[in-house]
Amino acid sequence: MAKPLEVLLLDDEPIVGRRLRPALDKIGCCVEVFEDPEKAVARIDEKEFDIVVTDIRMEGLDGLQVMAHVQKTWPRTKVIMITGYAKIDLAREAMGKGVFDFIAKPFRPDDLRKIIYKAAEALGIPMESSSSGSGPGPVEH
Amino acid sequence: MSIIIISADTGEIEEIIAQKVAETMGFTTLDHHILAEVASAHGIDPDQLDEALKTTPSLFKKMTAKQWRYALSCLEAEVLDRLLKDNIVCHGVAAHLYVTGVSHAMKVRILKGKNRVIKEIVQHRGLSLEKTERCCAAELEQRKKWSMAAYGFDETDLSQYDLVINLDQIDPEEAVRTIAGAAEYRKFQVMTYSMKCLSDLALAARVNTVLLDSMTDINVQSHDGSVVVTAKASNRQKRERIALIKEMAGKVDGVRYVEVHVK
């Protein structure tokens, strides 16, 4: 059996973690959810995650600062940003600083799953449903 | 993986630079060659479509404002649809004015300058230096007016572009290398968000085209298959207009929900 993909999910809105954790569990990810960026960063110091999914706007540390910390600590880790305040400037800034992908809220869990499959492929970690490279089909509202 | 949209002070420069950038990067070009296809697909006279890209209805009396708006909308929808394919150098179809908010679309403006390149234009057009300069200035002024009328942007406003190159200072070969190099920056690469922005623009343009075929004063916004249409109608026609828009927009491929606001 393939090693599960280790994912840290950080968003200060509890609903995001509650909604996304089962969606990622379902595709074989091992997910740790955080609402406090300081606690997430402390956990990142202890453990190398394959993927960090982080909100951008949060109290205390913002997503770009979290990404800088991840890049310094674990350069191999892929960072995916999710935000409700997406604009072209922010998207370009995040991309320029090395984010793996950037997605605007609201999105469907399947949208994130597709990005997770792409990140797993880039990491060379095989995932069963990503063998075709396209991930699962669209999920209706 | 990105889109490069090139706009220049003159069409000659635009075409030369765009083709060289496409060759250098192995990208395909998207330019005025699609006009004939767009015209044929939408039953528009190709010359009228070409004219719609150059003049406003007040200057071109043979085309009404409604026809002008419809012709531009058909072109916009087709260009946006093709841009979804990526790795494209686009010029000559006004894309710099309607591809907005898409982070992987790098917009470049080429300034002809006053010395080096103008001499080549003089040769190309077979006019005197003075006459060529006058023509270029008039063309620039006309483009400015046209862009304001068509899309509410002044295309000569350099703050709209990601990269501005003055050919007095950078020669065309260097300009091509500069553009190709900048297009490789991570910030201009495709991401899920930017593809979504482009898909939303493309869907809104398709709906707009369908509605403009029989209506005027329409504004269409799209987000993830949901479309919001703003239209004008008298109180008496309001209900009918809403129903008609919902029916027409609902038939467009990719539309899942239609909301209509009639003022």
Side-chain angles (χ1 to χ4, degrees):
Chain A
M1 198 176 147
K3 173 183 164 288
L5 203 63
E6 301 283 352
V7 178
L8 182 143
L9 176 59
L10 167 62
D11 197 304
D12 56 2
E13 291 176 59
I15 181 78
V16 176
R18 279 205 301 274
R19 183 111 196 268
L20 292 178
R21 186 205 285 268
L24 298 185
D25 282 346
K26 219 167 158 180
I27 56 167
C29 296
C30 178
V31 187
E32 290 188 33
V33 176
F34 291 84
E35 288 156 28
D36 178 347
E38 302 282 356
K39 287 182 183 165
V41 163
R43 183 65 178 135
I44 287 163
D45 284 337
E46 292 170 0
K47 177 178 172 178
E48 181 182 13
F49 289 88
D50 297 309
I51 295 170
V52 170
V53 180
T54 176
D55 188 13
I56 296 187
R57 274 204 194 179
M58 293 175 292
E59 285 293 317
L61 290 171
D62 68 25
L64 292 168
Q65 289 171 303
V66 172
M67 177 168 73
H69 188 83
V70 172
Q71 288 171 331
K72 205 171 92 186
T73 317
W74 307 108
R76 179 188 149 274
T77 302
K78 303 289 179 202
V79 178
I80 297 163
M81 290 208 171
I82 54 177
T83 181
Y85 302 92
K87 286 273 177 241
I88 183 169
D89 295 351
L90 185 59
R92 281 182 172 170
E93 184 185 356
M95 205 65 180
K97 286 182 172 168
V99 73
F100 179 75
D101 206 345
F102 184 99
I103 184 168
K105 292 184 207 169
F107 57 85
R108 285 165 287 173
D110 199 48
D111 295 332
L112 181 62
R113 279 199 290 250
K114 284 179 187 166
I115 301 172
I116 296 280
Y117 284 128
K118 265 200 308 179
E121 204 174 302
L123 286 164
I125 299 174
M127 291 184 80
E128 270 178 37
S129 307
S130 67
S131 55
S132 67
S134 58
V139 174
E140 297 300 323
H141 277 301
Chain B
M1 295 267 284
S2 58
I3 296 166
I4 302 168
I5 299 172
I6 298 179
S7 145
D9 286 350
T10 75
E12 293 105 320
I13 296 171
E14 197 174 279
E15 186 148 14
I16 291 168
I17 300 283
Q19 280 177 353
K20 286 187 177 166
V21 170
E23 278 169 29
T24 304
M25 302 198 70
F27 282 18
T28 51
T29 50
L30 179 57
D31 55 25
H32 61 278
H33 288 102
I34 68 158
L35 296 187
E37 276 179 59
V38 174
S40 150
H42 295 273
I44 308 168
D45 176 354
D47 292 338
Q48 252 196 356
L49 182 56
D50 186 48
E51 209 55 44
L53 260 178
K54 293 174 185 157
T55 56
T56 51
S58 58
L59 297 169
F60 184 60
K61 306 290 183 196
K62 289 178 197 161
M63 191 186 279
T64 64
K66 186 174 183 282
Q67 289 170 321
W68 178 68
R69 194 53 78 187
Y70 179 66
L72 292 179
S73 139
C74 294
L75 177 65
E76 183 181 335
E78 189 63 38
V79 169
L80 286 165
D81 217 40
R82 295 190 185 204
L83 289 179
L84 289 169
K85 290 194 185 82
D86 217 10
N87 285 0
I88 289 173
V89 177
C90 181
H91 73 98
V93 286
H96 55 297
L97 299 169
Y98 50 79
V99 179
T100 51
V102 178
S103 62
H104 69 275
M106 183 178 81
K107 294 185 191 176
V108 182
R109 180 75 179 183
I110 310 287
L111 309 179
K112 67 177 173 15
K114 289 183 177 163
N115 304 315
R116 197 171 6 190
V117 175
I118 195 83
K119 287 173 193 149
E120 286 179 35
I121 303 171
V122 166
Q123 239 178 1
H124 184 260
R125 295 193 183 185
L127 300 171
S128 69
L129 175 64
E130 200 179 83
K131 203 161 181 185
T132 303
E133 278 178 341
R134 271 208 312 273
C135 282
C136 287
E139 280 167 23
L140 212 56
E141 191 54 34
Q142 167 60 15
R143 289 298 305 173
K144 182 177 173 174
K145 281 184 190 161
W146 181 89
S147 60
M148 288 298 292
Y151 293 100
F153 289 117
D154 170 5
E155 78 160 31
T156 63
D157 173 5
L158 302 181
S159 67
Q160 310 275 349
Y161 299 92
D162 299 304
L163 182 64
V164 177
I165 295 175
N166 181 351
L167 294 181
D168 265 351
Q169 308 300 325
I170 309 281
D171 70 37
E173 295 301 326
E174 288 168 339
V176 170
R177 284 199 297 275
T178 304
I179 295 166
E184 298 285 345
Y185 294 168
R186 282 204 92 245
K187 61 175 65 186
F188 297 123
Q189 304 309 302
V190 172
M191 64 186 90
T192 300
Y193 166 68
S194 64
M195 271 314 283
K196 185 95 173 340
C197 291
L198 188 55
S199 309
D200 287 344
L201 284 179
L203 182 60
R206 285 203 299 275
V207 172
N208 196 36
T209 301
V210 166
L211 297 177
L212 281 181
D213 193 18
S214 56
M215 298 173 194
T216 53
D217 293 322
I218 296 286
N219 180 278
V220 183
Q221 304 283 325
S222 148
H223 180 77
D224 202 17
S226 294
V227 171
V228 179
V229 181
T230 310
K232 283 184 183 167
S234 64
N235 276 344
R236 204 163 48 85
Q237 294 173 318
K238 204 171 174 178
R239 194 175 288 180
E240 278 174 27
R241 177 59 58 99
I242 290 172
L244 183 61
I245 291 173
K246 283 196 172 185
E247 190 195 338
M248 290 170 77
K251 286 181 184 164
V252 175
D253 197 24
V255 172
R256 285 203 296 251
Y257 173 76
V258 183
E259 190 178 306
V260 184
H261 300 279
V262 173
K263 291 178 184 171

